[in-house]
Amino acid sequence: MNRSVWKIRFLRLAIRIQKLFRKNAVFMVLFFLFNYTTLAWSLVNADKIEVMIGYGFSLFLGVTFVTALLQIFRNPLLKNIMKIVLVVGSGIPFMIEFVAMYNYKALIGAGIVNSLLETNSREALEFCNMYFGAAEIIGGVFLIGLFTAIKKYKLISRLHFSRRVQRKIIFGILGVSLVYTVRMFVVYTDFFYSEPLLPMQRAYASAEVAYKNMEAYHTLTSKLNTDIAITENKSKIRNIVFILGESTNRNHMHLYGYNVPNTPNLDALKAKNELSVFTDCVSPHSTTIAVLSKLFTFCDYESDKDWYEYNNLIDVMNAAGYKTFWLSNQESSGVWGNVAQIYAEHSTKHEFTRIRDSREDYGIVDGELFPLVDRAVQEKADKNFYVIHLMGGHGLYYNRFPYSFSKFTKDDIKLNIPNEKKEVIAQYDNALYYNDYIVSGIIDKFRDDETIVIYVPDHSEAIYDETGGFTGHIEENPTRQMIEIPVIMWASDKFKTNYPDKWAQIQAAVNRPYMTDDMIHTVLEIADIKTPEFDPTKSIIDEQFDTTRKRIFGGKDYDAEIKTGKVQEE
């Protein structure tokens, strides 16, 4: 075969490829952007520029290959349907992931998918109000308009290049893409196999984990309490009150040295030496469901089984002869299940401030819990264990306090940031100001009885602090602000009189480093209850407590990496 024949064949191939690009330009651009943008953004944040460039060229080659395969479908309608499926299938997870990257600099993961599955319409609206302002809406409208114009007026195909120049550009990019793809597989082999590369892959993998979690909820719900073994039960404390907070950042509490006086009641209790304020506690996760899977069970980061295979605190307290109460201002029902709801159902009595589902109303603040607490106190037994679940500092922050608690404004925030961010911080500080009123109010209800009160939030909240970039919490890319929590204990005079050594133990432990995935050990030691799973080295008040035990969050050492902002070298 002579040279001219090869030249003709190559020219025909080039024309076909050129035609492929010209007829499928919009599809290829959208499909590329949906599958490239967020991962590229993440790679830039990780200072992996070369990998970001190489992945871009490799993806371009892959998009070209997928587009060529679509030409197998001779029926134009079927071909267009396949394009729509691919664009929508990649576009939806891309939009979710783009929001996560925009606000949290995190790719989509199981935590985000769980949050989506657990979110009702009200929370979705709150999320949109918090993270989508005028700038985001204008930007979204602009992008939609841009892509519509590109499609309607065929702007890409109208670029004035001769067909010869077009072919050179296309083949030049394809050639570079081929070289980069080979280089990526040789130099960055692990990149293609270690983690899912496409948003739809990450969404699918995360959905599998979320589905497993939902199955776990059903497993725990159906699990009977007959497997609880009590090896020692000297419990006599009349009331143990566990206040479960929400999204509370200790660095935004005056009690912990914050410069805004938003904890006057707790400050006063501390001044009278009525509080034990623990100074170095962190949560094991930065999302509620993940925290609750460990906070009330014997599961921690060292565990080799799923969390729902371990006994939980509610069942243990039931077996130890306590009447258990679950009083909550959080959701009472949900299609996707809720760990808190499972614990509630295992309690002797559970009550919620409202039926909270997708039709939930605004305006139910934590003060609505007071009548529930009053009723529970009237129904108390000889020994009582109360869990009181607050909304605390959950966003939107201005929904967490009544107007009368609007004490602080942007003028009280002494940070060099835009006023709109100062306003959000002021709202959060007001939420914690109201939270101070709630926690101290619950304490007052038990002041005249033998009672110990333990206050522990599920996790913390980033509020434009050291990062300066966002508010909220996320599991995939946490900062110290999302997991540094307050832990506070209060005891009535009767408790201190009857258990002076135990109160002394608590006071002596306030500066110990602690992660609350071991909280069940501490509560059981306070209650003088032992089970086969109890470990004194994991109880912060025990003299055998292991102060050297690492606090691991998502595979990272809190003290060495998250707290310092440094990544350890492998």
Side-chain angles (χ1 to χ4, degrees), residues 110-371:
I112 292 172
V113 172
N114 275 330
S115 296
L116 289 173
L117 296 182
E118 295 155 8
T119 297
N120 55 43
S121 60
R122 173 179 177 264
E123 289 176 332
L125 182 59
E126 288 186 347
F127 181 88
C128 291
N129 287 338
M130 178 175 287
Y131 295 117
F132 293 94
E136 288 77 15
I137 294 173
I138 292 172
V141 171
F142 172 78
L143 288 175
I144 293 172
L146 177 63
F147 282 116
T148 301
I150 290 173
K151 175 68 175 176
K152 182 176 181 179
Y153 300 106
K154 301 180 180 179
L155 297 180
I156 295 178
S157 62
R158 290 189 179 189
L159 293 175
H160 295 293
F161 295 111
S162 67
R163 295 198 172 185
R164 185 175 181 180
V165 172
Q166 290 178 18
R167 286 195 295 271
K168 287 183 177 180
I169 293 173
I170 291 171
F171 274 88
I173 296 175
L174 287 174
V176 173
S177 298
L178 182 60
V179 171
Y180 258 108
T181 301
V182 173
R183 174 176 168 75
M184 288 291 290
F185 273 101
V186 173
V187 180
Y188 300 104
T189 307
D190 292 342
F191 175 76
F192 286 101
Y193 300 105
S194 59
E195 298 292 339
L197 296 180
L198 307 180
M200 66 178 76
Q201 289 179 294
R202 289 187 286 275
Y204 178 77
S206 301
E208 281 191 315
V209 175
Y211 180 74
K212 184 179 179 181
N213 286 340
M214 288 188 289
E215 288 187 320
Y217 302 155
H218 293 302
T219 300
L220 184 56
T221 301
S222 61
K223 186 178 180 182
L224 299 177
N225 303 337
T226 54
D227 58 352
I228 301 296
I230 304 293
T231 58
E232 181 179 304
N233 186 2
K234 297 179 180 179
S235 59
K236 296 180 181 178
I237 300 172
R238 185 163 173 77
N239 301 305
I240 300 176
V241 181
F242 194 105
I243 303 176
L244 177 57
E246 169 73 50
S247 304
T248 306
N249 184 335
R250 71 168 184 250
N251 303 298
H252 271 259
M253 299 175 69
H254 188 264
L255 184 69
Y256 281 85
Y258 184 51
N259 60 3
V260 174
N262 61 348
T263 55
N265 297 316
L266 294 177
D267 290 343
L269 292 175
K270 184 181 180 184
K272 292 187 289 186
N273 201 31
E274 292 190 27
L275 287 185
S276 288
V277 180
F278 291 78
T279 61
D280 190 11
C281 296
V282 296
S283 60
H285 295 279
S286 55
T287 55
T288 302
I289 297 302
V291 169
L292 293 186
S293 68
K294 290 186 170 68
L295 185 67
F296 289 118
T297 71
F298 288 102
C299 180
D300 56 34
Y301 74 84
E302 295 173 319
S303 299
D304 56 3
K305 298 186 296 184
D306 289 321
W307 65 269
Y308 52 86
E309 296 185 34
Y310 293 86
N311 288 324
N312 66 80
L313 182 59
I314 303 300
D315 289 344
V316 172
M317 298 303 283
N318 285 332
Y322 276 83
K323 184 174 183 179
T324 53
F325 297 83
W326 190 279
L327 311 173
S328 177
N329 192 31
Q330 299 225 6
E331 75 177 33
S332 60
S333 62
V335 175
W336 302 105
N338 185 295
V339 177
Q341 171 66 7
I342 293 170
Y343 294 143
E345 291 174 352
H346 279 226
S347 301
T348 309
K349 180 178 178 61
H350 62 270
E351 191 172 359
F352 296 81
T353 56
R354 67 275 175 91
I355 297 175
R356 182 182 176 195
D357 57 18
S358 58
R359 297 174 297 279
E360 177 187 6
D361 293 328
Y362 286 99
I364 306 298
V365 295
D366 284 333
E368 298 295 323
L369 280 164
F370 285 158

Side-chain angles (χ1 to χ4, degrees), residues 472-523:
H473 52 270
I474 195 169
E475 190 73 9
E476 284 74 14
N477 188 24
T479 66
R480 60 181 294 183
Q481 299 294 337
M482 298 181 190
I483 61 176
E484 292 182 345
I485 58 173
V487 171
I488 302 166
M489 296 189 192
W490 173 90
S492 67
D493 290 339
K494 289 184 179 179
F495 179 93
K496 292 174 184 176
T497 298
N498 295 335
Y499 305 96
D501 293 340
K502 197 172 294 294
W503 183 244
Q505 274 184 281
I506 292 171
Q507 289 184 304
V510 293
N511 293 319
R512 292 174 178 172
Y514 197 58
M515 179 174 273
T516 56
D517 56 349
D518 290 332
M519 183 54 66
I520 190 172
H521 301 276
T522 299
V523 175

Side-chain angles (χ1 to χ4, degrees), residues 9-74:
R9 289 189 174 183
F10 180 78
L11 181 60
R12 287 176 179 173
L13 176 63
I15 292 172
R16 291 181 65 183
I17 293 175
Q18 182 181 4
K19 185 178 179 181
L20 178 77
F21 275 80
R22 188 172 65 251
K23 287 193 171 184
N24 298 278
V26 173
F27 164 75
M28 294 179 73
V29 168
L30 287 176
F31 194 51
F32 176 84
L33 290 178
F34 287 165
N35 289 289
Y36 178 68
T37 306
T38 48
L39 182 56
W41 190 351
S42 176
L43 292 170
V44 169
N45 288 340
D47 199 26
K48 297 180 179 179
I49 306 301
E50 185 177 1
V51 179
M52 181 269 292
I53 295 172
Y55 172 62
F57 281 110
S58 300
L59 181 63
F60 177 80
L61 194 65
V63 170
T64 302
F65 180 72
V66 169
T67 307
L69 283 179
L70 289 176
Q71 307 316 303
I72 295 174
F73 299 99
R74 297 298 182 183

Side-chain angles (χ1 to χ4, degrees), residues 70-91:
L70 289 176
Q71 307 316 303
I72 295 174
F73 299 99
R74 297 298 182 183
N75 187 314
L77 177 60
L78 184 58
K79 188 186 300 183
N80 287 332
I81 290 174
M82 290 302 299
K83 287 181 181 179
I84 291 172
V85 169
L86 289 173
V87 169
V88 173
S90 58

